[in-house]
Amino acid sequence: MSTFLRAADRWAILPKGSVIFCPDKWAAKVGRSAGGEPLAWPAFLAANRAWVSTYEVSPEQVRGEKPIPDSARREFARADRVVVATLRGHPVTLLPARP
């Protein structure tokens, strides 16, 4: 039910489904296990801004009622960072958009 972001010997635990974009070059930093020192999300994000960013979603997007715009997804690819969905600044599971 969780996803881990790892940076060296530090890691943060996130809700499963909160990582909404991950470039291939950062895939090894996203996983199902952790080791080393746990960090709270705000501290982990501050220390890893070079490769982690956030995208604030709406409650409708969280429930899968509204998709993330294609323009935002193109920007994720252009930025070349791991993108975490947040609601009010906190990582959140994002359900797949329903047709």
Side-chain angles (χ1 to χ4, degrees):
M1 298 301 296
S2 300
T3 298
F4 297 89
L5 288 185
R6 295 185 300 269
D9 62 342
R10 295 181 171 176
W11 55 273
I13 188 169
L14 302 173
K16 188 174 184 175
S18 63
V19 175
I20 54 176
F21 182 79
C22 182
D24 290 340
K25 75 180 191 179
W26 301 120
K29 294 183 176 278
V30 179
R32 295 184 186 174
S33 64
E37 179 186 354
L39 285 179
W41 169 245
F44 186 89
L45 180 60
N48 294 286
R49 279 282 185 193
W51 63 275
V52 179
S53 65
T54 61
Y55 181 76
E56 190 71 13
V57 295
S58 68
E60 295 82 16
Q61 289 169 317
V62 170
R63 293 188 300 263
E65 296 169 356
K66 185 177 176 184
I68 294 174
D70 289 339
S71 59
R73 292 196 180 273
R74 285 191 296 274
E75 184 56 35
F76 299 162
R78 195 171 15 262
D80 202 31
R81 295 178 180 176
V82 174
V83 180
V84 177
T86 57
L87 182 63
R88 297 180 199 106
H90 302 284
V92 64
T93 297
L94 192 66
L95 296 177
R98 292 181 242 150

